[in-house]
Amino acid sequence: MDKLRLRFEKTGKAVYISHLDLMRVVQRVFLRAGVPLRYSEGFNPHALISICLPLPVGTVSLCELMDFRVTEDIDLPSLPERLNAVSPAGVRFLECYEPSRKAAGLKWLEIRGDWEYDGRAASQFSAGVEEFFNRGNIPVTRRTKRGEGEFDLAAHMRGFAVEAAEGETLAVRAFVSAQEPTVKPELLPEALRELAPELAPDFARFTRLETYGADMEIFR
Amino acid sequence: MADTLERILPRVQKPARYVGGEYNEIVKDRAQVKLRMAFCFPDTYEIGMSNMGMQILYGAINAEPDIWCERVFAPWGDMAEEMRRNSLPLYALESGDALDKFDALGFSLGYEMAYCTVLDMLDMAGLPVKSADRPELVPLVFAGGTSCCNPEPMADFFDLMVLGEGEEADIEVLRLFQRARDAGWTKGEFLREAAKIGGVYVPSLYEPVYNPDGTLAELRCLDGAPEVVTKRIVSNLDSAYYPTRPVVPSTEIVHDRVNLELFRGCVRGCRFCQAGYVYRPIRARSAGKIVELGREMLENTGCQEATLLSLSSSDYRQLSQVCDGLLDWCEPRSISLSLPSLRADNFSMELMSRLQKVRRGGLTFAPEAGTQRLRDVINKNVTEPELLNTCRIAFEGGWNGIKLYFMLGLPTETDEDVVGIADLAAKVLHVWRESSPNKQRGVRITVSTSCFVPKPHSPFQWEAQVDMAEYRRRVELLRHSITAKNVTYNWHDADTSFIEAALSRGDRRVGGVIEAAWRRGARLEAWSDYFSFKRWLEAFADCGLDPAFYATRERGEDECLPWSRVNMGVRTSLLLRERHRAYEARLSPDCRAECAGCGAAALLERGVKCDG
């Protein structure tokens, strides 16, 4: 038993913990739970923990994956409960297992968006929004570490659908590319603001629902 | 979470500091508790969460099952703006409830530059900043902390102030307040009763009367207020409350570690040091207790670092036992143990060698003054040979950075003393050349100076601060005297020290200045991002006051001082004796060599001795 994978949720107050802070938080959870985490060798040993897909601050996730290593055998089924007993609010571990696929095989994320249109009925935007995101070509400006560039959002998302329109909130669902390239869910309302501002919501919150491989099978 | 907050948070820096939910946070049932207190820290989350006093009081108050004490910090500028723009009142982290849901707001007042932030937090809570403008009993707005030892500058804003250590006194105040609230007392009735609790200073019961020259003539006692309010202490640290389950922040703070308090008070009696006098008498926690607390806290937090805190850790009698006990547990778990506030002597270096086996970076010493004469004036019992010898051991042991802290503007300081700082740094560099086993690594010697701020309840409470021009001249003199390129010189700017000096020994009129500065936009003034000297000068002008009157004027020894109704345990006659000895450059022995009979031991419970 060496390389292990944990699946966990990050909800509620925990959604504001940044990726880097979460690494530290998780490390302390392991220490409090007495799990024998493996550390790197060398002058500045660090815990061998890696969170597969960094989660943007403010996004809820029900499907986070984290790889880690331990120095001795541990009981996997009971691990989530051991960790949950000493975790901060909103971080909840779901299952632990020995992974069969590398994290690089994670290709798609299923996301839900709750989009708020202040003082307007969301239903009036359903058709327009759905039509917009099902176009064959959505050329948006995307800022990455390498600078600003044009990016075809349509090529890296699929299955966009409006699920419900209740009051001022539009619930949408889609699959977006998780890595190579990474499509941040926030890019969707940004695309509206850039190309169809009349459809853009006043506020959008997102939830990661599930992870998938390139084959569109659920990724574990 | 409220929709407004949810929309704001993605737009501000480091939102994790505004939501709570950390491990070990204390959440109680609103319906079950009888009293709700907001513990307000007038600085950012990162600073407040690093404060051990806050950790202790948060835990101690919450140890009362029917009181729920929650945390409130000052939002950074971007968040404060967003909150005001969206009419979102200041709220507590645990429940997210706005402060108008609370019975009591208790502020921690640790340093003067936080004063404006108190007003800003009250305003963000929707409360009038002045006590007189809050005629109702609820909410009670009170304060504690070291800065309360001169309660007058903030007197207009608080209903009451608790002097000294709050573990017991705060709860007594809250219980009386609960009775008053339930029985429907008026605010006045409650405050008069509260003034009878030891350590409670009720500003509205003291009326300042001024002389024609602007000095204080008297603080008149009203309505039977006590002539003197004596600070509270906890006599026995082993049985005192200690927070073994501190909140573990989910985001980076300044000092993210387990804090272990060794003892309170200091045996040294450095004459410039307020802490050395106001935290007396000396009370030590036993080594066994500290080791036990340390292990428990490390297990409960998952922290990878523990630190031993006190004013002068070398003076803790069982330091070796504590370090051994903790290292036995920490080393196999790769937990590091740090030990600040050590004296520059051999014993300390042996300890440091044991603690820092791998990473040997920098060591910090505070000789405070550049010549032996001036060190004798301030009663800093460190000699040059001792310091140089310690540096030698450090360099031989592989340390390659030394930071040296000094103050400029100490009483009787001459240019020779200023240049003496440069000479001392040069000698330290020479020692490195002689003793370093690995010169290729180079050496970093850093000299830092700050401008001396005379503080209430210290032997230098009557002294004038040097004016800003003179301080700057001395900085320049020192700057030109430091020639070695391995020696870096950093100096504190004069502006903040001058304002700090004016506030720290201010009278009640300075409260008007604090309010004027706040109305002009001052908050988080300890941050250079926000401090504005010009704004402070304007605020003083608004009130027709001169900051120099408070900062750079020597007080007469018979002058009525704004903190004259406060007894921090040490007799004024002792402070005077120390002041006069300073002028003779005459040392006073430390408390262990010879008890000076300072008076602080009288604060202890019967049967408990001062550990000085």
Side-chain angles (χ1 to χ4, degrees):
Chain A
M1 187 186 295
D2 181 28
K3 197 166 186 177
L4 296 173
R5 184 166 292 163
L6 266 166
R7 196 160 64 85
F8 66 101
E9 291 178 352
K10 192 161 165 273
T11 63
K13 291 178 168 190
V15 305
Y16 298 103
I17 302 175
S18 71
H19 175 69
L20 280 178
D21 284 339
L22 185 67
M23 300 283 281
R24 243 166 24 105
V25 165
V26 168
Q27 199 174 325
R28 286 183 171 177
V29 167
F30 276 90
L31 282 161
R32 290 194 290 262
V35 177
L37 210 52
R38 185 185 290 271
Y39 284 76
S40 66
E41 310 282 321
F43 199 64
N44 275 320
H46 60 271
L48 294 173
I49 298 178
S50 117
I51 294 169
C52 301
L53 283 180
L55 182 68
V57 173
T59 302
V60 179
S61 178
L62 308 178
C63 59
E64 290 303 283
L65 297 175
M66 181 183 81
D67 290 350
F68 67 104
R69 290 167 188 265
V70 287
T71 56
E72 55 192 67
D73 282 1
I74 52 171
D75 180 51
L76 300 187
S78 66
L79 186 68
E81 272 320 301
R82 265 173 86 190
L83 298 176
N84 289 339
V86 289
S87 290
V91 176
R92 205 170 76 89
F93 296 90
L94 303 170
E95 60 171 332
C96 182
Y97 50 91
E98 293 185 72
S100 54
R101 301 161 76 179
K102 285 192 172 160
L106 203 170
K107 174 60 188 160
W108 294 97
L109 277 171
E110 186 184 16
I111 57 163
R112 193 183 74 222
D114 293 295
W115 295 2
E116 291 176 5
Y117 294 85
D118 293 346
R120 295 173 287 171
S123 54
Q124 62 183 299
F125 302 99
S126 299
V129 165
E130 202 157 70
E131 183 277 323
F132 178 89
F133 286 106
N134 284 298
R135 288 177 193 171
N137 186 318
I138 308 173
V140 292
T141 315
R142 190 177 67 144
R143 283 180 303 278
T144 65
K145 279 175 201 156
R146 287 175 294 279
E148 216 168 76
E150 190 167 286
F151 179 80
D152 180 18
L153 179 56
H156 303 290
M157 66 177 285
R158 53 173 79 167
F160 183 94
V162 171
E163 283 213 317
E166 272 178 44
E168 300 178 357
T169 307
L170 199 66
V172 304
R173 199 181 271 253
F175 294 90
V176 294
S177 173
Q179 42 192 353
E180 293 178 13
T182 302
V183 173
K184 279 190 189 174
E186 190 54 39
L187 195 60
L188 275 60
E190 272 171 31
L192 288 174
R193 280 192 286 274
E194 188 178 343
L195 302 169
E198 69 285 357
L199 296 174
D202 293 292
F203 181 69
R205 75 171 76 76
F206 289 97
T207 306
R208 274 186 187 173
L209 299 172
E210 190 55 278
T211 46
Y212 292 85
D215 49 8
M216 291 310 281
E217 293 293 318
I218 288 180
F219 182 89
R220 283 288 181 267
Chain B
M1 195 174 302
D3 194 48
T4 317
L5 185 59
E6 200 186 347
R7 288 195 185 194
I8 292 174
L9 288 173
R11 296 199 289 262
V12 300
Q13 292 174 52
K14 305 181 193 164
R17 55 188 164 170
Y18 303 123
V19 294
E22 310 94 321
Y23 184 68
N24 283 343
E25 168 193 77
I26 297 170
V27 174
K28 298 186 184 182
D29 181 353
R30 287 178 186 82
Q32 295 297 313
V33 295
K34 299 213 169 65
L35 192 83
R36 293 185 66 182
M37 171 175 160
F39 194 118
C40 303
F41 195 93
D43 209 319
T44 61
Y45 179 89
E46 293 88 325
I47 303 287
M49 286 297 290
S50 306
N51 184 285
M52 194 178 62
M54 174 155 191
Q55 285 173 7
I56 293 175
L57 293 174
Y58 176 75
I61 296 167
N62 275 315
E64 302 286 306
D66 56 345
I67 303 180
W68 187 11
C69 175
E70 304 184 42
R71 296 161 300 150
V72 185
F73 300 95
W76 192 247
D78 58 347
M79 181 64 173
E81 271 174 42
E82 289 278 8
M83 288 172 72
R84 284 204 156 96
R85 191 180 313 135
N86 292 283
S87 308
L88 186 68
L90 196 62
Y91 59 91
L93 293 184
E94 280 77 1
S95 62
D97 287 343
L99 291 194
D100 62 5
K101 298 277 189 300
F102 287 75
D103 299 293
L105 276 61
F107 282 86
S108 168
L109 221 49
Y111 36 92
E112 296 83 0
M113 299 317 276
Y115 287 170
C116 290
T117 314
V118 172
L119 276 60
D120 200 54
M121 290 174 78
L122 287 171
D123 185 60
M124 291 188 79
L127 290 170
V129 296
K130 284 190 165 166
S131 173
D133 298 333
R134 299 185 303 260
E136 303 298 323
L137 176 68
V138 182
L140 169 69
V141 177
F142 70 112
T146 316
S147 290
C148 292
C149 74
N150 175 14
E152 283 297 297
M154 289 296 279
D156 284 342
F157 312 112
F158 293 119
D159 303 330
L160 64 86
M161 290 154 113
V162 178
L163 306 177
E165 297 163 11
E167 290 100 324
E168 292 162 2
D170 282 359
I171 290 163
E172 290 167 30
V173 166
L174 291 172
R175 289 300 182 199
L176 179 71
F177 173 74
Q178 184 184 355
R179 243 176 73 203
R181 183 200 61 187
D182 294 346
W185 297 3
T186 65
K187 184 169 174 177
E189 284 167 340
F190 164 71
L191 290 177
R192 279 190 293 278
E193 201 57 31
K196 295 176 187 163
I197 299 175
V200 171
Y201 186 91
V202 177
S204 54
L205 298 183
Y206 299 94
E207 183 192 1
V209 181
Y210 300 94
N211 293 312
D213 66 358
T215 57
L216 197 61
E218 124 180 71
L219 271 170
R220 194 171 286 156
C221 301
L222 308 176
D223 281 339
E227 297 271 324
V228 170
V229 181
T230 301
K231 76 156 181 180
R232 292 286 293 273
I233 62 160
V234 171
S235 285
N236 183 341
L237 293 193
D238 276 353
S239 58
Y241 174 85
Y242 203 76
T244 51
R245 303 191 67 89
V247 179
V248 184
S250 299
T251 183
E252 227 171 327
I253 61 167
V254 181
H255 294 302
D256 196 353
R257 58 197 187 187
V258 158
N259 291 317
L260 287 166
E261 184 190 40
L262 294 172
F263 67 100
R264 296 185 185 174
C266 181
V267 302
R268 293 288 158 177
C270 300
R271 290 170 184 139
F272 58 85
C273 179
Q274 181 185 48
Y277 288 86
V278 302
Y279 295 146
R280 292 184 186 198
I282 321 301
R283 290 145 295 153
R285 191 169 267 121
S286 68
K289 184 77 183 175
I290 292 166
V291 173
E292 176 195 317
L293 290 171
R295 291 180 183 187
E296 205 179 326
M297 291 174 77
L298 288 163
E299 281 183 319
N300 289 342
T301 58
C303 276
Q304 294 275 68
E305 188 190 346
T307 191
L308 300 172
L309 294 180
S310 73
L311 290 173
S312 175
S313 300
S314 308
D315 292 322
Y316 180 69
R317 296 182 201 263
Q318 301 164 289
L319 193 55
S320 283
Q321 289 96 304
V322 165
C323 290
D324 290 341
L326 287 171
L327 282 175
D328 282 350
W329 201 81
C330 291
E331 275 182 336
R333 293 167 178 80
S334 308
I335 295 170
S336 67
L337 186 61
S338 63
L339 190 45
S341 307
L342 284 179
R343 292 179 65 77
D345 58 21
N346 289 343
F347 169 72
S348 306
M349 284 313 302
E350 283 166 29
L351 259 181
M352 289 304 290
S353 306
R354 276 165 54 204
L355 297 186
Q356 299 190 353
K357 289 219 169 76
V358 204
R359 239 177 285 173
R360 290 188 171 173
L363 285 177
T364 302
F365 300 111
E368 314 287 4
T371 60
Q372 198 57 49
R373 184 201 69 82
L374 193 53
R375 283 194 294 274
D376 290 348
V377 165
I378 61 175
N379 206 38
K380 181 89 188 182
N381 285 283
V382 171
T383 65
E384 187 174 294
E386 274 171 347
L387 177 73
L388 294 179
N389 187 40
T390 307
C391 290
R392 182 182 314 276
I393 299 168
F395 293 137
E396 283 167 357
W399 275 277
N400 61 345
I402 300 273
K403 281 186 191 163
L404 300 169
Y405 283 2
F406 299 90
M407 279 180 281
L408 290 177
L410 287 163
T412 78
E413 184 179 63
T414 63
D415 284 1
E416 196 186 320
D417 298 313
V418 176
V419 175
I421 294 174
D423 294 342
L424 192 57
K427 284 174 189 163
V428 171
L429 182 61
H430 183 69
V431 167
W432 174 78
R433 288 212 178 91
E434 283 178 347
S435 59
S436 170
N438 184 359
K439 293 203 183 47
Q440 284 76 35
R441 281 178 72 198
V443 66
R444 287 169 289 111
I445 296 170
T446 310
V447 170
S448 299
T449 65
S450 59
C451 181
F452 172 59
V453 177
K455 292 274 165 119
H457 301 284
S458 74
F460 289 162
Q461 64 175 359
W462 295 274
E463 299 298 327
Q465 187 184 42
V466 294
D467 65 46
M468 288 190 292
E470 175 59 17
Y471 171 71
R472 291 195 183 106
R473 188 190 67 81
R474 292 182 197 182
V475 166
E476 283 307 301
L477 176 62
L478 179 53
R479 203 156 73 91
H480 292 293
S481 308
I482 294 174
T483 47
K485 72 171 184 348
N486 294 342
V487 181
T488 315
Y489 176 37
N490 301 320
W491 60 94
H492 231 265
D493 66 82
D495 301 356
T496 40
S497 304
F498 180 64
I499 298 303
E500 191 186 325
L503 297 183
S504 90
R505 290 185 298 167
D507 52 31
R508 199 168 295 196
R509 293 171 303 184
V510 169
V513 177
I514 293 163
E515 188 180 344
W518 167 68
R519 292 207 182 277
R520 286 174 172 276
R523 62 190 300 278
L524 297 175
E525 291 289 284
W527 295 84
S528 57
D529 310 55
Y530 292 120
F531 178 81
S532 160
F533 186 57
K534 187 169 156 275
R535 184 163 56 205
W536 279 103
L537 294 185
E538 288 162 354
F540 272 97
D542 289 345
C543 300
L545 293 171
D546 179 3
F549 176 82
Y550 297 101
T552 59
R553 178 179 64 90
E554 184 180 340
R555 275 46 163 190
E557 287 180 358
D558 55 353
E559 187 175 324
C560 176
L561 300 169
W563 51 96
S564 60
R565 295 281 175 204
V566 171
N567 172 18
M568 294 303 281
V570 177
R571 287 182 241 285
T572 307
S573 58
L574 181 101
L575 299 180
L576 276 171
R577 185 194 85 175
E578 289 301 306
R579 181 185 195 216
H580 297 152
R581 283 190 181 179
Y583 284 113
E584 298 163 24
R586 183 176 155 200
L587 289 171
S588 285
D590 72 62
C591 300
R592 295 217 170 119
E594 184 191 321
C595 173
C598 71
L603 302 174
L604 291 164
E605 273 166 21
R606 196 185 284 261
V608 182
K609 281 210 173 75
C610 177
D611 190 35

